Amino acid sequence: MARRTSRSTAAAAKAESGDAHLPSRDDILRFISENPDRSGKREIAKAFGIKGGDRVWLKDKLRELQDEGLVKTRRKKNLRPGTLPRVVVLDIFSRDAEGGLIARPAEQDEEDDGPVPLVTIRAQKGARTTAAGVGDRVLARVSPTEEETGPAYTGRVMKVFEKRRRAVLGVFRELDDGSLRIEPVERRQPELIVDAEARNAAKHGDLVEALPISQGRYGLPKAKVIEVVGSITTEKAVSLIAIHAHEIPHIFPDAALEEAAAAKPATLKGREDWRKLPLITIDPPDAKDHDDAVYAEPDDDEKNRGGVIVTVAIADVAQYVRAGSSLDREALRRGNSVYFPDRVVPMLPERISNDLCSLREGEARPALAVRMRFSSDGRKIGHSFHRVMMRSAGSLSYDQAQAAIDGKPDDKSGPLLDTVLRPLWDAYGVLKRGRNAREPLELDLPERKILLKPDGTVDRVIVPPRLDAHKLIEEFMIQANVAAAETLETARQPLVYRVHDEPSLAKQESLREFLASIGMSLARGPALRPAQFNNILARVDGSDQEQLVNEVVLRSQSQAIYSTENIGHFGLNLRRYAHFTSPIRRYADLIVHRALIAARNLGGDGLSAEEEARLEEVSALISATERRAMAAERDTVDRLVAEHLASRTGEEFSARISGITKAGIFVLLPEYGADGFIPVSTLGNDYYIYDEPRHALIGQRSGKGFQLGDGVDVRLVEVAPLAGAMRFEMMSDPVHPSGSSKSLHKTKRDKARRQRSGKDRRK
């Protein structure tokens, strides 16, 4: 360590004296700005001829720039804050003085990525105008602009998503005085007036799309109904709101349905016959499609004593969904299936997802399978891919499989217990050793499930038990995904990875400050591993701070995305990872299937050169559709619970603080799994200050307040069911939060430092 430090110091001295050809800070920053696609540490060192011990100096210099907020690290690249990837999804929101289109990134975390840059949209070469307009969402290839003023980037449109109508989604109301109104579902949208001739046959209680047509100086704006979506009184009205609000495609084009109807069952031609292998499916009890089956057995190779062979077979969707077909185009447009409490919006028509591709019990089905060998310590020591015809020997629920292992088999699981289930659990015991050695991130955040009544309203919210059966299938699927990525890398076959970046330096520092405030520490350095987070979580296990620390660690993590560039999966602690196991519901998996077919010469329907050229575009598209689905699912839960509690204003509930901002407190009702808000102005007579490191609001006079993770009692004050919004009043008294009061002053000091260092950032 002393030798490394002395080398770094010597290099710094040479840089300052000008005796060495080492770059200055400005040289490094300029290179990073001009070369965002080759700005890794090795590439910077190569560009400036930095060798030997001087590389330690470069590492320290980059860390200094990161600490000052002048550089961020993403996917092992050093980038200036506010930079964009080469291909990005944009929302066009305005025009400049010359009529040019101005856009912003559709999905970017300003806290994680710095100030959100703007993009000027240019027409393609030879075209007078672009095909896009204000209000459109587009996929664009962007590059830094050379102009000194205006947006930092220039973009050229690669693809225009469906045109966005500037319509308002709301519920049509006919008031007692005969006047007509539209109550918008968005919280910030004002109520709209509708003239009788503009109602378009809408009836009271209909969910409608309306186009604002005028706004006078006084009174409410007017609108005309352009489409009646359905009745708000139907069972599935709440998810229908989310579908339309987030523009999720939910009606299949006739051409796609015709292709699905015309599809013929696969034959044995070009496939291995695995129909006698007793693969089984283990799924939720209400699953309609079964896309993965598993089997395990001891390895009889004397060189691998105690080892096991695990087989995972996945529905062969590529057999039926061919590149460029109507089915394929619609699947890419959807990107993934979307799951609501009351319905599923599938990626593929039922003829494909629930019939031809579903691994039904006792029926022959085509599959793409991987056979994996593991040593006794859980290390994968080999694998092979096969295109097969299989027949499921049984279709069990998680509860059924677990009950059989626990000594309570039923008529269906009993015959499979000794021959199939016990070997599966034995193999899982082996794979667990490898998982434990790998040490993936182990957050303890229970998932809630909403159960509905027959009329579509909330019955109750439950936390399903986390069984070994769930963990078994999860670990088998993870290993199959790893095998897919390894095979494609070895074959030098382009693919779409599932990547999860390590926490950004800004989030690391925020987490470090929080942990310091409760007497815990997190080591510095860019090479954080999941094991360090697990150590923190283990130290608070069973304590009053367990929920709080789990929440804060979760918030420090980056979001997983799809990418053609492999940076590994931080949360799973894997160097390479690709989604392979759910092609019925994720387009990313279908791409990986086609890539495997091409790489292993398993048929003529593999990934084509044209598809390979579009993988970067596809990665951006499906990452965006995944975020869209998550937002729609979350909004639906909020609306369902708000509707369920609309008649209970004035009642008190037990809650947990799930978020703290300057504006107030978000509280989660554990019984229902939905959030509400408490404005800071209603907290009491004290003046509350936001303490960012401790995730708390602290009273200036009393020093008492409220902190993330606290259990509190709240009173429901107001409910807006259509918007999924609930406002509460705090009933619990403030308390002294965890940590030292010094952190509040440190927050102000650090914020001022960050603002000073960020003055030179381009907006």
Side-chain angles (χ1 to χ4, degrees):
M1 184 66 183
R3 185 179 179 185
R4 289 173 60 90
T5 303
S6 63
R7 283 184 176 180
S8 179
T9 304
K14 285 192 284 184
E16 291 176 2
S17 66
D19 292 337
H21 296 290
L22 293 177
S24 66
R25 287 162 51 96
D26 289 342
D27 291 334
I28 295 173
L29 291 172
R30 188 180 305 110
F31 179 84
I32 290 172
S33 297
E34 295 173 355
N35 302 276
D37 293 326
R38 52 188 188 95
S39 58
K41 186 177 68 174
R42 289 184 180 179
E43 294 158 315
I44 296 173
K46 183 177 180 180
F48 290 105
I50 301 173
K51 301 178 180 179
D54 291 343
R55 288 177 177 266
V56 179
W57 171 86
L58 176 61
K59 179 180 178 181
D60 292 343
K61 185 60 64 177
L62 289 172
R63 183 52 193 258
E64 287 178 16
L65 296 174
Q66 292 163 5
D67 288 344
E68 292 176 29
L70 299 175
V71 170
K72 64 172 184 173
T73 301
R74 185 172 185 177
R75 303 184 193 177
K76 298 184 180 179
K77 302 291 185 184
N78 294 284
L79 303 173
R80 298 302 303 275
T83 55
L84 294 177
R86 290 174 298 175
V87 177
V88 63
V89 178
L90 302 172
D91 284 332
I92 301 174
F93 69 93
S94 184
R95 290 185 181 272
D96 59 23
E98 299 176 356
L101 298 172
I102 305 296
R104 63 167 66 93
E107 300 287 348
Q108 189 171 50
D109 185 348
E110 187 163 353
E111 179 183 350
D112 204 10
D113 299 316
V116 176
L118 301 183
V119 182
T120 299
I121 300 296
R122 302 295 187 199
Q124 295 287 358
K125 292 182 179 179
R128 292 187 176 183
T129 62
T130 71
V134 174
D136 287 344
R137 175 166 288 188
V138 302
L139 186 75
R141 188 176 296 277
V142 300
S143 59
T145 184
E146 296 179 0
E147 300 171 4
E148 292 297 327
T149 60
Y153 283 84
T154 298
R156 296 192 183 277
V157 174
M158 301 168 62
K159 180 182 179 112
V160 180
F161 300 126
E162 286 192 350
K163 290 280 185 180
R164 283 184 161 195
R165 290 185 292 184
R166 290 188 295 172
V168 174
L169 191 67
V171 176
F172 188 82
R173 304 291 191 193
E174 192 164 358
L175 306 186
D176 293 339
D177 62 3
S179 61
L180 307 176
R181 297 282 192 274
I182 292 176
E183 179 186 351
V185 300
E186 294 295 330
R187 307 175 192 184
R188 297 172 183 170
Q189 175 69 41
E191 193 175 31
L192 301 168
I193 298 174
V194 180
D195 292 334
E197 62 271 18
R199 69 185 295 170
N200 196 16
K203 301 185 294 295
H204 181 78
D206 279 348
L207 183 66
V208 300
E209 276 192 321
L211 192 65
I213 55 177
S214 66
Q215 172 69 68
R217 294 184 62 185
Y218 305 102
L220 297 173
K222 284 189 175 183
K224 64 177 181 180
V225 176
I226 56 177
E227 182 182 356
V228 176
V229 177
S231 174
I232 197 67
T233 60
T234 61
E235 293 181 12
K236 299 184 177 181
V238 175
S239 56
L240 193 62
I241 291 174
I243 288 168
H244 280 263
H246 292 276
E247 299 177 333
I248 294 173
H250 66 292
I251 298 174
F252 284 102
D254 290 341
L257 293 174
E258 289 168 4
E259 284 183 2
K264 304 296 183 183
T267 66
L268 262 176
K269 185 178 180 180
R271 298 179 182 277
E272 300 175 41
D273 189 351
W274 283 20
R275 286 176 293 180
K276 292 184 179 180
L277 187 70
L279 290 149
I280 66 168
T281 62
I282 304 178
D283 293 292
D286 55 353
K288 293 182 179 180
D289 54 70
H290 309 276
D291 55 8
D292 58 84
V294 293
Y295 177 74
E297 58 187 331
D299 191 349
D300 58 9
D301 188 342
E302 285 294 323
K303 297 179 181 179
N304 189 33
R305 291 187 179 182
V308 294
I309 298 175
V310 171
T311 301
V312 174
I314 306 298
D316 191 354
V317 177
Q319 165 73 31
Y320 301 104
V321 182
R322 302 301 176 96
S325 66
S326 294
L327 277 172
D328 183 56
R329 291 194 301 270
E330 183 64 14
L332 176 57
R333 190 165 76 101
R334 296 180 179 221
N336 45 257
S337 298
V338 187
Y339 295 85
F340 300 106
D342 58 353
R343 74 165 86 192
V344 175
V345 178
M347 186 180 79
L348 298 168
E350 287 192 9
R351 165 68 172 158
I352 302 296
S353 61
N354 294 357
D355 184 5
L356 293 176
C357 284
S358 186
L359 306 182
R360 292 178 176 176
E361 181 178 345
E363 298 186 22
R365 288 290 184 267
L368 195 58
V370 57
R371 181 170 281 155
M372 300 173 285
R373 295 179 67 231
F374 294 87
S375 63
S376 60
D377 60 359
R379 290 181 299 108
K380 184 165 66 65
I381 57 177
H383 67 266
S384 59
F385 279 89
H386 310 260
R387 209 168 189 186
V388 306
M389 184 69 74
M390 60 157 285
R391 180 183 286 117
S392 172
S395 179
L396 302 180
S397 70
Y398 288 112
D399 289 334
Q400 271 183 302
Q402 189 66 56
I405 289 295
D406 292 342
K408 298 178 181 178
D410 59 17
D411 292 341
K412 196 169 187 179
S413 62
L416 300 169
L417 181 58
D418 292 328
T419 57
V420 180
L421 290 176
R422 292 197 194 281
L424 281 172
W425 256 257
D426 291 342
Y428 172 56
V430 173
L431 266 64
K432 267 201 305 187
R433 296 171 196 149
R435 178 185 175 88
N436 292 340
R438 191 175 81 238
E439 291 192 272
L441 185 60
E442 302 282 6
L443 284 167
D444 183 18
L445 296 167
E447 295 186 9
R448 291 172 174 79
K449 182 176 182 179
I450 291 183
L451 301 181
L452 302 179
K453 299 176 183 177
D455 64 358
T457 59
V458 176
D459 181 16
R460 65 188 190 278
V461 180
I462 63 171
V463 178
R466 178 87 167 137
L467 306 173
D468 279 346
H470 293 100
K471 298 175 184 177
L472 179 151
I473 294 297
E474 178 183 272
E475 190 60 26
F476 282 17
M477 297 305 117
I478 287 173
Q479 293 299 333
N481 289 337
V482 171
E486 290 177 348
T487 292
L488 294 175
E489 276 197 358
T490 301
R492 299 186 180 277
Q493 169 68 52
L495 72 148
V496 172
Y497 293 94
R498 179 64 168 179
V499 300
H500 181 218
D501 207 351
E502 63 186 22
S504 67
L505 288 172
K507 288 190 174 183
Q508 286 183 36
E509 189 59 32
S510 178
L511 176 62
R512 193 172 286 110
E513 290 177 353
F514 162 73
L515 293 172
S517 76
I518 60 172
M520 300 178 69
S521 62
L522 177 66
R524 287 189 176 275
L528 286 176
R529 303 312 310 156
Q532 292 169 272
F533 292 98
N534 290 340
N535 180 53
I536 292 167
L537 299 174
R539 289 165 63 186
V540 297
D541 186 31
S543 72
D544 294 339
Q545 295 173 331
E546 178 181 7
Q547 192 67 43
L548 168 62
V549 174
N550 270 270
E551 288 280 358
V552 177
V553 169
L554 174 65
R555 289 165 191 240
S556 73
Q557 303 303 307
S558 301
Q559 185 174 24
I561 61 171
Y562 295 104
S563 174
T564 56
E565 181 184 359
N566 182 30
I567 60 168
H569 197 294
F570 178 81
L572 294 175
N573 200 12
L574 293 168
R575 294 179 60 186
R576 52 190 62 84
Y577 192 67
H579 273 166
F580 157 73
T581 55
S582 295
I584 288 177
R585 62 184 180 90
R586 292 187 308 225
Y587 194 82
D589 304 57
L590 177 55
I591 287 290
V592 169
H593 274 232
R594 290 175 181 161
L596 286 165
I597 291 168
R600 305 303 300 162
N601 297 315
L602 297 176
D605 47 358
L607 201 66
S608 65
E610 291 78 11
E611 286 182 282
E612 289 180 8
R614 295 181 59 226
L615 287 184
E616 194 172 30
E617 172 187 339
V618 169
S619 298
L621 287 172
I622 59 181
S623 293
T625 59
E626 180 185 46
R627 290 189 291 269
R628 177 181 69 185
M630 292 169 61
E633 291 166 359
R634 184 174 59 247
D635 288 354
T636 298
V637 169
D638 288 344
R639 288 189 175 100
L640 279 169
V641 174
E643 175 68 32
H644 181 59
L645 298 179
S647 62
R648 299 179 62 180
T649 55
E651 291 188 28
E652 293 188 15
F653 297 86
S654 295
R656 181 173 56 80
I657 295 178
S658 59
I660 298 281
T661 70
K662 294 178 182 178
I665 297 172
F666 289 94
V667 292
L668 174 74
L669 304 185
E671 186 178 354
Y672 300 100
D675 287 297
F677 188 65
I678 302 174
V680 67
S681 59
T682 67
L683 287 179
N685 296 326
D686 210 339
Y687 180 74
Y688 285 89
I689 300 174
Y690 178 45
D691 185 343
E692 185 176 0
R694 287 188 291 175
H695 297 268
L697 283 172
I698 310 296
Q700 190 175 47
R701 292 192 301 271
S702 67
K704 297 180 180 180
F706 303 95
Q707 188 173 31
L708 183 72
D710 284 352
V712 293
D713 293 324
V714 297
R715 176 185 289 135
L716 182 59
V717 176
E718 182 182 3
V719 180
L722 283 180
M726 295 184 289
R727 184 167 63 84
F728 290 91
E729 177 185 1
M730 180 66 73
M731 304 304 295
S732 296
D733 293 329
V735 297
H736 286 289
S738 301
S740 167
S741 60
K742 293 180 181 178
S743 64
L744 182 58
H745 304 293
K746 187 176 185 293
T747 300
K748 294 179 179 178
R749 186 172 65 249
D750 290 345
K751 183 177 180 181
R753 176 178 58 79
R754 286 195 295 269
Q755 288 174 340
R756 287 195 301 273
S757 67
K759 283 182 180 179
D760 64 341
R761 297 180 186 177
R762 188 168 192 177
K763 302 300 181 185

